[in-house]
Amino acid sequence: MLKTRVITALALLAVLLPALWFAPLIWLGILIAVVVTLAAWEWWRMLFPANHKRAFSYAGLCLLSLSIWFMYASIDLIRLLLLLTAIFWIFLVPYLMRQSLNLDMTQWRWPLAISGLFIFPACWFALMHLRGGGLSLLLSVLVLVWAADIGAYFAGKAFGKHKLAIQLSPGKSIEGAVGGWVLVMSIAFVSVTVLDEMSLTSSNFFSLLLTNYGWLGLFGITSLCVVMSIEGDLFESQMKRIAGVKDSSALLPGHGGILDRIDALLPVLPVTALIATLFA
C-alpha cells in the first residue's frame, strides 16, 4: 500500500508541478477543469450512492456550468460566484455538520447536488485567478492548507487527547487542530518578515493580507482559513460516512479519490481568491 501511495504521489507531482511552473494558463486551466469534473463525479456518487450511473451526467453538467460561467465571466460575476461559494462553506456547511451522522440526506441530497454546480466551477476560477496573480500567491494558499494538515497530523500524533469530531473523524483531535494553526501562523510570520525582507517571496497571500488589513487582519483571516480547511476535511468525512464508503472513489491508487485530496482546499480557495480579487 505504501509503495502504491508513493508511486501515485510522484505521478501526481510530475503532472502538477510542471503545470504550475511552466505551462501556459490555458493548459493549466484544462488540467484543473478535468480535476474538478472528476471531483463532481465523486460528489454525486457520495450523495447518491445507489444511483452511480447518473454521476457521469452530473459531471458533464458541472463542466457545462463551468463553461457557461467562463463564457460570461467578468470580474464582478467571478466575485459573485466566489461569494456564493464562500457563503455556502461559512454558513450552510457548519449547520449541516452540527447534525453529524443524523443528517437527513433525503432532504439535503438535491440541494447539495445543486450546490456542487457552483462549488466546483468556483474552485476552478479561484485556482486560475490565484495563479494569474503569480505563482507565489497560489503556492502560499496551497502551503497554508497543506501546513494546516501536516501540523495537525504530527501534533495530533504527539499530543492528541481530546477528539475534535469523533463521529466524523475519530483520528482528529483538538490538539492536532491547534498544532496545524500554530504551524500555519509560524509560516505566515516568517513569510511576511524574514522572507519578504530577504526578497525571497513576492505577492504571496500572507503579504497581501498584511499590506491591506494589517497584523490583525493577517491573524484573523489566516485563522479563518485554517478553520475552513479543517471544515472541508470533516464535511467530506461526514458525507462518506453517511454514504457508507471509505473513500470518495478509487481514482488515485493508494490515495482514494480526488475529493479525498482536495477536500481541505474546496472551502479555502473561494475565500482566498475572493480576497485576492478585491485587490486585483
Side-chain angles (χ1 to χ4, degrees):
M1 179 63 74
L2 179 59
K3 181 180 178 181
T4 303
R5 287 177 64 89
V6 171
I7 292 174
T8 302
L10 290 175
L12 292 173
L13 289 175
V15 173
L16 179 62
L17 294 182
L20 287 177
W21 257 274
F22 306 113
L25 278 179
I26 182 64
W27 293 110
L28 178 61
I30 292 172
L31 175 62
I32 300 304
V34 171
V35 170
V36 299
T37 301
L38 292 173
W41 177 76
E42 294 177 347
W43 182 264
W44 176 276
R45 285 163 57 90
M46 287 196 300
L47 293 176
F48 298 89
N51 192 3
H52 284 183
K53 292 182 179 180
R54 293 187 178 180
F56 293 101
S57 299
Y58 179 76
L61 187 61
C62 185
L63 184 59
L64 176 62
S65 174
L66 170 58
S67 302
I68 293 173
W69 279 98
F70 180 77
M71 285 190 295
Y72 296 99
S74 66
I75 190 63
D76 290 333
L77 276 177
I78 293 173
R79 283 177 183 150
L80 176 62
L81 177 62
L82 295 174
L83 178 61
L84 289 173
T85 307
I87 289 172
F88 170 84
W89 287 108
I90 293 173
F91 295 103
L92 180 59
V93 170
Y95 169 77
L96 299 178
M97 288 176 60
R98 281 198 295 269
Q99 300 176 55
S100 190
L101 302 183
N102 297 318
L103 180 65
D104 184 3
M105 290 304 292
T106 59
Q107 176 184 354
W108 285 102
R109 278 193 178 95
W110 279 107
L112 287 173
I114 294 171
S115 298
L117 300 178
F118 295 88
I119 292 170
F120 297 109
C123 181
W124 186 89
F125 277 104
L127 276 165
M128 295 303 293
H129 182 82
L130 291 170
R131 180 61 184 91
L135 187 59
S136 294
L137 181 60
L138 175 58
L139 286 180
S140 60
V141 173
L142 297 180
V143 166
L144 187 161
V145 175
W146 293 338
D149 185 50
I150 293 170
Y153 176 80
F154 286 105
K157 285 287 186 182
F159 309 109
K161 294 181 179 180
H162 302 89
K163 298 301 181 182
L164 181 62
I166 191 168
Q167 286 190 317
L168 302 183
S169 186
K172 295 191 181 303
S173 66
I174 296 175
E175 292 84 358
V178 172
W181 175 82
V182 169
L183 179 58
V184 171
M185 296 307 300
S186 299
I187 292 173
F189 180 77
V190 171
S191 176
V192 300
T193 54
V194 179
L195 297 183
D196 273 6
E197 289 180 4
M198 296 174 63
S199 299
L200 295 179
T201 62
S202 60
S203 303
N204 66 74
F205 183 66
F206 304 116
S207 297
L208 183 150
L209 292 179
L210 181 62
T211 300
N212 293 283
Y213 296 108
W215 283 103
L216 185 60
L218 171 64
F219 176 86
I221 295 174
T222 302
S223 298
L224 173 64
C225 289
V226 172
V227 171
M228 293 188 71
S229 72
I230 297 171
E231 175 193 62
D233 193 337
L234 290 176
F235 184 59
E236 198 224 354
S237 295
Q238 181 184 20
M239 294 296 99
K240 288 191 295 185
R241 288 183 177 276
I242 292 175
V245 296
K246 182 177 182 293
D247 299 313
S248 58
S249 77
L251 288 176
L252 304 176
H255 288 268
I258 300 293
L259 283 175
D260 295 321
R261 298 300 94 204
I262 67 171
D263 51 5
L265 280 168
L266 288 177
V268 176
L269 285 172
V271 172
T272 54
L274 181 61
I275 293 171
T277 64
L278 298 177
F279 306 102

